[in-house]
Amino acid sequence: MKPFKRAGKNPTRSAIYNALTTMKKYDLGGFTIDYSDKNRNGSSFGEITMMSPTGALSR
């Protein structure tokens, strides 16, 4: 179940926090996030993207 569905139809800050902290490891189609009451980073993935003077993005 997706995090915001777990928070209910009219999510509050508290409901979203509770939904995220009960998720543990969750695979979003090859990208895994991990939230708990002690780990609030979600992911350690980082990617460098460069922007050219014309606004084009490259990895």
Side-chain angles (χ1 to χ4, degrees), residues 3-4 6-8 10-22:
F4 293 108
R6 291 176 186 229
N10 296 308
T12 62
R13 179 182 174 161
S14 176
I16 293 171
Y17 174 82
N18 289 335
L20 288 172
T21 58
T22 59

Side-chain angles (χ1 to χ4, degrees), residues 26-45:
Y26 186 77
D27 187 347
L28 295 167
F31 181 75
T32 304
I33 59 173
D34 185 12
Y35 285 98
S36 68
D37 56 346
K38 304 227 186 285
N39 177 12
R40 296 184 186 167
N41 294 331
S43 172
S44 60
F45 178 78

